[in-house]
C-alpha cells in the first residue's frame, strides 16, 4: 500500500512539473496555441458534464430527489460558454460553482467522511483546477490575477494529490476508546478446550477460538509458509463449486475436503498426504464442502462400557463422516481412508429416499457437514426454493456406528417426528447451515430456512409460519422439540438463518450467568437466547413494520423482532443521500435508481414494482459465523453490505423470459424462478452503478468486535481492498482499503489475534483483537472464503495457521490450495 501511495505522489509531482512548464511557456506562441486547444477541450468537457448532470438531475428532480444536479448542470453549461469565449469571469464562475458544491456536499452527505465526500467533490475540483489554470492566460487578465489563478490551480492540484494518497489508507473505522479491557487469564487447552480442532467451529460450542499464545501481535509479522498441499480438486467446468472448507485437526493429522467431497488426511507438520478418498460426488448447484465430522468410539461418553465393548473391530474406531453433494452420507477409517464396511451399505447411506423430487441430488443435498452428538450425527440439507413441492426440509440423525436412522424431525408430521419408512413432508423449512450440539443439555440447535418458495407466502402452512427463519432446539437423543424462537415472521425476504449458533455463557441484566446461544442473521441483528428455554437474554422488541403495498394475495406480519440489546451490524436505513458512486455521474444514477424504487426501510414488502431489499438476502451476516475470544469476552463478526433491487414478476410477464426450473440460473440480472401464487419469478439485481460499483456508501464489508459483557461495539474496521476487483469487472491492482463484501468467518487466538481471509482480495490477514488494526497479511495465490484453522502440533509444539484457498465466489481465479503458515524455527517458542 505504501509503495502504491509513493508511486501516486511521484506521478503527481511529474504532473505538477508539467503544469509549471505550461505556465512558463504561456507567453510563447507554442504555449498560447496549446493553451487555446486546451480551452476548447475544457469547454467541451464541461459541456458534457453539464449535459449529464442536467439531464440526470432533471430525471432525479421529477422523482422528488435533490435539485443540486440539475442546477449544477445549468451552472456548468454557463461555465462551458464562458470558457469557450475566454470570458474573464470564467474563473470567478468556476470558483463560485465549486464553493456552492462544497456547501451542498457538507449538508447532503450523510456524514462527514472521506468516501462520502469523494464523489461529490473530486470532479468539481478537477474542473476548478483546469479552469483556473486556463483562465490565467485569458486576454485582459492582469499579472497579479494570473499568478493567483495559477497558484489556486496548484493548490487544488495538491489537494487532489493528497486525496489520491488518502485513498490508500482505511476510512470509516469505528473505535470505542472507553471499551473496558478484559483482564481474565488466557484460556488454555484442557477438558473444555481440547487441543484438537474436532468440530467446524473448533469446539462443540462453535466459538472458533484457539487457546494458544505462540503467535502474537508482536511476532505475527514473521509468519511464513510452512507447507502447501494441492487437493487436486476440479477447477473448471459446470458444478466445480466453491472451496469453503475448514479442515479438522486431530492430533498431528488434518482432514480436508474439496467441494466435490474428495477427502484427504494431511500430515500437520509437513503437508504431505497420508491418504485420500474420492467418492465421485457430483451435482449441479451449490457445490461445496465446508468440512467433515469426526467420531472416536473410545472417547464417546454417550455409550456405556458394554456398548463400546460390543464394537470389537479395530477398523473405524476413529472415523471421518462426510455428507456429500450427491446426497450421500459415508464413513471412512480416520487412519487409512477406507470405507467403513459396517456403515450403511458398503460404507454409504443414501439420503434421497422419501425426500421427494430430488432429481438425483439436483434439488436437495447437504451443504453443511455431519455434526457429531455422541454416537449420533445430525444432518440438514439445502433445498431449492422454486416451487411449493420442493423436497423436504427434514433434519435427520443417524447412528455413526452403522448409519441407521435414529430420528427425523419433520414439521409436517404429528409432534414433528416421522416414522421409519414414511415419506417426509415436502417444502418444509430446511437447515442448510451448521447445527450446534450442547452436550450438557443434550440439545441440538437448528438454524432454519423457509419453506419454499422464498418471496411469496400467501398460502404457507402453519408449520412453515412457525418454524421458518427460527432457532429450533431438539432433544439430541429423540429429535423431540424443546423450543423454537423465530427471528423473522412470515419471511418473504430470504432471511433464512445462515450461520451456526454459538454457545457461550454470559451474564443477564441481573448479573446471573446464563448459558446463552448467539445467532447472527442476514438482517444485521444478533439474537442472544437462553439455550435452555429459547427466551431472549438481551432485549428484543417487536416493532411495527410496513405491510402495504403488498403483493397479490400476500399476508405480511405487522411486526418483526428487533434485537435492541445487541449492536446491529451494517443495517443503517438507506436514503437518497446515502447513495454512492465513484463519480457524481454514477452517484446520480444510483440516486435515480433509489428514488425510482419502493423502499420503506427494514422489511420493505416485496412488490411487482422494483423494491429495495436492505440488508439483502446476501447479508448482513452470512454463513461464516462468528469467533469468540474466550479469554477476553470479545466476539468478532464480519458482514457484507450489498443492497438488492428486486421485483416480483407475474406468471404472464414471466413468459417473456427464458426460465428453467431444472436449474437455478445465476440470479443477478436474471429472472429467478418463483412459482408461487400469481407469480412466476423474481428479478434480482445488485443496486449498483453501470460501472458495477455498489450504490451504498462504503465500506461494503467490515469486521466488528463486540464486548459480550457490556454488549457494546468495541471496534469496526473496513475489510478488504479492490486490488483483485474493480469497475466493470476489471482488476484495479490498487490496494485501496474500501472494505469489500466478506464471506467465510474469523478465527481468534488467546494471544490477541483475529485471522480472516474471506475478503474479495487474495489475502490472509491478522488483526489485533484489541483495536482491529491489521498487523500482518500474506498474499494468496487465489482468493479464499473459508475460515482459518489454528492449531498446535503435538509432535513439534509448533503453531500453525491454515487456510483453504480455492477462489472467492464468482471469481475467475480458482485454485486447489491448502496453505499452512508458521513462525520460523526458534521464533516465538
Amino acid at each position: 500500500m505504501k509503495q502504491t501511495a509513493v508511486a501516486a505522489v511521484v506521478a503527481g509531482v511529474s504532473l505538477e512539473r508539467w503544469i509549471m512548464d505550461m505556465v512558463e511557456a504561456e507567453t510563447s506562441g507554442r504555449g498560447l496555441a496549446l493553451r487555446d486547444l486546451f480551452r476548447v477541450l475544457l469547454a467541451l468537457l464541461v459541456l458534457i458534464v453539464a449535459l449529464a448532470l442536467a439531464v440526470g438531475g432533471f430525471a432525479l428532480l421529477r422523482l422528488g430527489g435533490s435539485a443540486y444536479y440539475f442546477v449544477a448542470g445549468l451552472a456548468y453549461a454557463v461555465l462551458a460558454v464562458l470558457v469557450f469565449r475566454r470570458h474573464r469571469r470564467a474563473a470567478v464562475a468556476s470558483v463560485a460553482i465549486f464553493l456552492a458544491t462544497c456547501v451542498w456536499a457538507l449538508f447532503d452527505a450523510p456524514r462527514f467522511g472521506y468516501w462520502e465526500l469523494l464523489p461529490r467533490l473530486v470532479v468539481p475540483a478537477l474542473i476548478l483546477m483546469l479552469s483556473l489554470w486556463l483562465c490565467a492566460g485569458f486576454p485582459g487578465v492582469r499579472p497579479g490575477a494570473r499568478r493567483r489563478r495559477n497558484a489556486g490551480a496548484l493548490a487544488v492540484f495538491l489537494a487532489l494529490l493528497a486525496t489520491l494518497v488518502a485513498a490508500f489508507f482505511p476510512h470509516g473505522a469505528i473505535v470505542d476508546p472507553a471499551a473496558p479491557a478484559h483482564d481474565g487469564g488466557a484460556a488454555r487447552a484442557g477438558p473444555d478446550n481440547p487441543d484438537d480442532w474436532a468440530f467446524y467451529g473448533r469446539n462443540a460450542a462453535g466459538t472458533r477460538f484457539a487457546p494458544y499464545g505462540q503467535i502474537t501481535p508482536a511476532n505475527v509479522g514473521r509468519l511464513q509458509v510452512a507447507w502447501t498441499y494441492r487437493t487436486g480438486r476440479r477447477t473448471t467446468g459446470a458444478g466445480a463449486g466453491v472451496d469453503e472448507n475448514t479442515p479438522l485437526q486431530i492430533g498431528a493429522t488434518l482432514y480436508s475436503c474439496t467441494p466435490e467431497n474428495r477427502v484427504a488426511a494431511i500430515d500437520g507438520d509437513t503437508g504431505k498426504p497420508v491418504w485420500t478418498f474420492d467418492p465421485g460426488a457430483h451435482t449441479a448447484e451449490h457445490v461445496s464442502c465446508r468440512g467433515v465430522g469426526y467420531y472416536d468410539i473410545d472417547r464417546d461418553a454417550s455409550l456405556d462400557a458394554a456398548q463400546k465393548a460390543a464394537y470389537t473391530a479395530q477398523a473405524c474406531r476413529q472415523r471421518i463422516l462426510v455428507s456429500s453433494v450427491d446426497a450421500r452420507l459415508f464413513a471412512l477409517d480416520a487412519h487409512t481412508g477406507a470405507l467403513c464396511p459396517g456403515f450403511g451399505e458398503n460404507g454409504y447411506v443414501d439420503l434421497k429416499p422419501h425426500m421427494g423430487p430430488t432429481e438425483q441430488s439436483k434439488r436437495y443435498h447437504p451443504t453443511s457437514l455431519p455434526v457429531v452428538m455422541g454416537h449420533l450425527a445430525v444432518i440438514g440439507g439445502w433445498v431449492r426454493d422454486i416451487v411449493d413441492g420442493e423436497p423436504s426440509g427434514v433434519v435427520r440423525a443417524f447412528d455413526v456406528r452403522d448409519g441407521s436412522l435414529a430420528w427425523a424431525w419433520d414439521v409436517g408430521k404429528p409432534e414433528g417426528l416421522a416414522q421409519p419408512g414414511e415419506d417426509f413432508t415436502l417444502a418444509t423449512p430446511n437447515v442448510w447451515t451448521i447445527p450446534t450440539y450442547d452436550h450438557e443439555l443434550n440439545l441440538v440447535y437448528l438454524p432454519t430456512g423457509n419453506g419454499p418458495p422464498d418471496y411469496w407466502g400467501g398460502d404457507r402452512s402453519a408449520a412453515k409460519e412457525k418454524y421458518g427463519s427460527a432457532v429450533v432446539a431438539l432433544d439430541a437423543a429423540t429429535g423431540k422439540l424443546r423450543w423454537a424462537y423465530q427471528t423473522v415472521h412470515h419471511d418473504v425476504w430470504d432471511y433464512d438463518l445462515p450461520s451456526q449458533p454459538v454457545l457461550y455463557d454470559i451474564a443477564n441484566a441481573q448479573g446471573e450467568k446464563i448459558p446463552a446461544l448467539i445467532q447472527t442473521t442476514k438482517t444485521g441483528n444478533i439474537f442472544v437466547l437462553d439455550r435452555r428455554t429459547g427466551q431472549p437474554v438481551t432485549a428484543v422488541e417487536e416493532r411495527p413494520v410496513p405491510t402495504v403495498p403488498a403483493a397479490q394475495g400476500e399476508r405480511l406480519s405487522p411486526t418483526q423482532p428487533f434485537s435492541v440489546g445487541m449492536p446491529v451490524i451494517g443495517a443503517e436505513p438507506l436514503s437518497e443521500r446515502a447513495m454512492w458512486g465513484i463519480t457524481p455521474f454514477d452517484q446520480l444514477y444510483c440516486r435515480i435508481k433509489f428514488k425510482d424504487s419502493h423502499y420503506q426501510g427494514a422489511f420493505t414488502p416485496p412488490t411487482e414494482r422494483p423494491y429495495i431489499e436492505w440488508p439483502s438476502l446476501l447479508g448482513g451476516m452470512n454463513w461464516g459465523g462468528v469467533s469468540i475470544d474466550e479469554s477476553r469476552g470479545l466476539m468478532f463478526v464480519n458482514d457484507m453490505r450489498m443492497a438488492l433491487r428486486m421485483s416480483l414478476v407475474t406468471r404472464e410477464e414471466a413468459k417473456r423470459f427464458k426460465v428453467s426450473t431444472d436449474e437455478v440460473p445465476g440470479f443477478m440480472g436474471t429472472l429467478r424462478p418463483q412459482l408461487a401464487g400469481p407469480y412466476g419469478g423474481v428479478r434480482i439485481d445488485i443496486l449498483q452503478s453501470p460501472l458495477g460499483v455498489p450504490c451504498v456508501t462504503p465500506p461494503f464489508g467490515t469486521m466488528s468486535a463486540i464486548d459480550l459483557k457490556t454488549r457494546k461495539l468495541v471496534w469496526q474496521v473496513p475489510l478488504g481492498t479492490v486490488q483483485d476487483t474493480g469497475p466493470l469487472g476489471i482488476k484495479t491492482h490498487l490496494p485501496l482499503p474500501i472494505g469489500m463484501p466478506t464471506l467465510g468467518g474469523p478465527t481468534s487466538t488467546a494471544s490477541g489475534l483475529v485471522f480472516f481471509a474471506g475478503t474479495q482480495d487474495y489475502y490472509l490477514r491478522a488483526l489485533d483483537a484489541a483495536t482491529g488494526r491489521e498487523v500482518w497479511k500474506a498474499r494468496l495465490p487465489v482468493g479464499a472464503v473459508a475460515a482459518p484453522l489454528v492449531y498446535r502440533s503435538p509432535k513439534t509444539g509448533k503453531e500453525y495457521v491454515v487456510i483453504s484457498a480455492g477462489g472467492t465466489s464468482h471469481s475467475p481465479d480458482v485454485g486447489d490450495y491448502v496453505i499452512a503458515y508458521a513462525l520460523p524455527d526458534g521464533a516465538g517458542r
Side-chain angles (χ1 to χ4, degrees):
M1 182 186 298
K2 292 180 179 178
Q3 291 88 339
T4 307
V6 169
V9 171
V10 171
V13 171
S14 300
L15 181 57
E16 176 191 353
R17 183 66 262 169
W18 179 80
I19 291 175
M20 296 307 295
D21 290 342
M22 291 297 99
V23 172
E24 293 172 3
E26 67 182 11
T27 56
S28 69
R30 180 181 61 85
L32 290 173
L34 190 59
R35 184 182 290 273
D36 206 45
L37 174 61
F38 284 157
R39 172 184 61 81
V40 175
L41 292 176
L42 178 60
L44 182 60
L45 173 64
V46 174
L47 182 61
I48 293 172
V49 170
L51 288 173
L53 293 180
V55 173
F58 182 70
L60 180 62
L61 197 57
R62 289 185 60 187
L63 294 169
S66 171
Y68 163 78
Y69 295 92
F70 179 67
V71 173
L74 297 180
Y76 277 122
V78 172
L79 178 61
V81 173
L82 294 177
V83 170
F84 183 77
R85 299 184 62 182
R86 294 191 294 184
H87 198 286
R88 60 189 181 88
R89 295 294 184 187
V92 175
S94 183
V95 171
I97 294 171
F98 181 75
L99 291 178
T101 297
C102 288
V103 172
W104 166 79
L106 293 174
F107 282 96
D108 183 71
R111 62 179 62 85
F112 186 84
Y114 178 86
W115 296 118
E116 288 81 359
L117 295 177
L118 185 77
R120 291 172 168 87
L121 295 180
V122 167
V123 169
L126 282 167
I127 293 175
L128 174 64
M129 178 188 73
L130 294 173
S131 60
L132 285 176
W133 171 62
L134 285 170
C135 290
F138 283 1
V141 177
R142 296 178 180 178
R146 180 179 295 117
R147 286 193 296 272
R148 288 192 295 273
R149 292 178 183 183
N150 283 328
L154 181 59
V156 175
F157 167 77
L158 294 175
L160 287 169
L161 180 61
T163 300
L164 174 62
V165 173
F168 292 90
F169 296 88
H171 299 278
I174 299 173
V175 179
D176 180 7
H182 287 261
D183 55 3
R188 301 296 179 193
D192 296 329
N193 242 322
D195 261 325
D196 292 338
W197 189 297
F199 298 86
Y200 174 73
R202 188 179 186 277
N203 49 32
T207 57
R208 209 179 288 139
F209 170 70
Y212 308 127
Q214 185 181 115
I215 303 171
T216 69
N219 65 22
V220 67
R222 300 184 64 188
L223 283 180
Q224 59 188 26
V225 174
W227 53 259
T228 300
Y229 172 72
R230 305 294 296 271
T231 68
R233 62 165 288 206
R234 185 165 61 93
T235 59
T236 59
V242 180
D243 188 349
E244 300 173 343
N245 165 62
T246 298
L248 296 189
Q249 170 258 325
I250 307 297
T253 306
L254 308 187
Y255 297 95
S256 175
C257 64
T258 69
E260 293 182 303
N261 305 112
R262 180 175 178 178
V263 184
I266 307 168
D267 185 289
D269 284 298
T270 67
K272 297 184 181 300
V274 178
W275 55 257
T276 62
F277 178 84
D278 189 350
H282 306 286
T283 194
E285 303 174 36
H286 286 271
V287 182
S288 178
C289 180
R290 295 195 175 110
V292 300
Y294 175 76
Y295 175 71
D296 185 342
I297 193 172
D298 297 322
R299 296 184 181 182
D300 185 357
S302 71
L303 301 179
D304 58 31
Q307 290 172 309
K308 290 182 180 180
Y311 187 87
T312 58
Q314 290 305 306
C316 291
R317 299 192 71 83
Q318 293 79 36
R319 59 184 63 190
I320 300 299
L321 298 162
V322 185
S323 51
S324 63
V325 296
D326 59 356
R328 291 180 291 170
L329 173 67
F330 60 92
L332 305 173
D333 186 297
H335 304 288
T336 67
L339 285 165
C340 295
F343 186 87
E345 185 175 343
N346 299 319
Y348 292 97
V349 172
D350 189 353
L351 301 176
K352 297 185 290 296
H354 308 293
M355 289 296 293
T358 65
E359 294 185 38
Q360 294 301 309
S361 81
K362 195 174 186 179
R363 297 171 69 174
Y364 158 81
H365 61 259
T367 51
S368 173
L369 61 144
V371 175
V372 176
M373 314 178 299
H375 65 283
L376 301 181
V378 65
I379 297 173
W382 166 83
V383 177
R384 286 199 314 183
D385 299 318
I386 293 178
V387 298
D388 185 52
E390 297 287 6
S392 178
V394 64
V395 176
R396 291 171 282 182
F398 295 88
D399 192 309
V400 300
R401 297 167 295 178
D402 58 15
S404 60
L405 180 66
W407 52 258
W409 183 68
D410 180 349
V411 299
K413 303 297 184 183
E415 300 184 0
L417 290 173
Q419 299 303 310
E422 190 176 16
D423 287 344
F424 304 124
T425 309
L426 299 181
T428 50
N430 64 320
V431 178
W432 60 265
T433 191
I434 301 166
T436 306
Y437 172 60
D438 186 322
H439 171 72
E440 292 185 4
L441 297 177
N442 198 35
L443 294 179
V444 59
Y445 304 100
L446 311 177
T448 71
N450 299 309
D454 278 329
Y455 307 104
W456 186 85
D459 60 358
R460 285 184 183 168
S461 66
K464 287 185 183 182
E465 294 287 59
K466 182 176 181 179
Y467 296 110
S469 298
V471 181
V472 177
L474 304 180
D475 185 293
T478 65
K480 291 184 178 180
L481 176 70
R482 290 291 187 86
W483 57 259
Y485 184 88
Q486 193 167 59
T487 62
V488 179
H489 307 319
H490 191 75
D491 181 3
V492 289
W493 301 272
D494 198 12
Y495 284 157
D496 46 1
L497 291 183
S499 58
Q500 180 184 29
V502 177
L503 312 183
Y504 187 74
D505 296 349
I506 65 175
N508 62 12
Q510 292 73 40
E512 177 188 5
K513 200 80 164 182
I514 300 295
L517 175 150
I518 301 172
Q519 179 67 62
T520 58
T521 69
K522 292 181 180 180
T523 66
N525 285 272
I526 302 171
F527 292 88
V528 182
L529 309 175
D530 187 323
R531 61 181 184 261
R532 300 167 299 186
T533 65
Q535 295 300 306
V537 176
T538 57
V540 177
E541 294 180 358
E542 283 284 337
R543 293 179 176 175
V545 294
T547 57
V548 292
Q552 300 177 45
E554 189 55 276
R555 45 190 176 89
L556 299 173
S557 172
T559 65
Q560 293 290 349
F562 289 79
S563 180
V564 298
M566 289 288 286
V568 178
I569 306 296
E572 184 176 338
L574 297 180
S575 67
E576 180 204 331
R577 295 166 57 195
M579 294 297 100
W580 193 75
I582 297 176
T583 69
F585 314 111
D586 52 327
Q587 184 179 48
L588 172 57
Y589 175 92
C590 287
R591 293 176 85 134
I592 293 171
K593 281 292 185 182
F594 178 83
K595 295 297 290 186
D596 195 35
S597 304
H598 177 57
Y599 177 70
Q600 295 176 272
F603 300 101
T604 292
T607 60
E608 294 169 34
R609 177 191 170 190
Y611 66 95
I612 292 175
E613 185 174 284
W614 171 262
S616 75
L617 58 92
L618 302 173
M621 283 78 88
N622 210 293
W623 59 263
V626 307
S627 175
I628 296 178
D629 184 333
E630 299 177 22
S631 63
R632 296 170 176 81
L634 290 176
M635 181 173 77
F636 307 101
V637 56
N638 58 289
D639 72 303
M640 67 172 74
R641 305 176 186 189
M642 300 284 285
L644 297 181
R645 190 171 188 260
M646 305 170 61
S647 59
L648 295 174
V649 180
T650 65
R651 291 178 186 258
E652 186 63 30
E653 292 172 331
K655 293 177 181 177
R656 299 188 294 110
F657 298 87
K658 183 179 180 181
V659 179
S660 170
T661 57
D662 291 334
E663 182 175 350
V664 176
F667 61 86
M668 294 303 172
T670 67
L671 183 72
R672 185 176 187 181
Q674 285 285 283
L675 306 181
Y679 297 104
V682 59
R683 285 292 304 268
I684 304 179
D685 298 276
I686 297 175
L687 184 61
Q688 61 185 9
S689 75
L691 297 178
V693 177
C695 287
V696 296
T697 303
F700 309 132
T702 69
M703 180 72 74
S704 300
I706 297 171
D707 188 318
L708 292 176
K709 181 178 181 181
T710 64
R711 325 281 202 265
K712 301 294 184 183
L713 186 69
V714 178
W715 52 258
Q716 184 178 92
V717 296
L719 209 58
T721 73
V722 296
Q723 180 172 345
D724 297 296
T725 55
L728 302 175
I730 302 171
K731 295 183 181 183
T732 69
H733 302 289
L734 298 174
L736 305 177
I738 195 170
M740 300 298 288
T742 65
L743 280 174
T747 298
S748 59
T749 71
S751 63
L753 291 170
V754 182
F755 289 97
F756 185 76
T759 56
Q760 298 297 305
D761 55 0
Y762 304 167
Y763 287 98
L764 171 64
R765 288 177 167 85
L767 308 179
D768 188 311
T771 64
R773 181 175 63 90
E774 182 183 293
V775 291
W776 172 80
K777 67 178 180 181
R779 182 70 172 168
L780 301 173
V782 296
V785 293
L789 159 71
V790 179
Y791 68 94
R792 182 174 59 194
S793 168
K795 290 182 178 179
T796 64
K798 182 177 287 191
E799 191 174 316
Y800 294 91
V801 181
V802 175
I803 188 69
S804 294
T808 60
S809 300
H810 309 296
S811 170
D813 301 327
V814 182
D816 66 339
Y817 304 88
V818 178
I819 305 173
Y821 296 85
L823 295 172
D825 289 338
R829 301 194 303 279

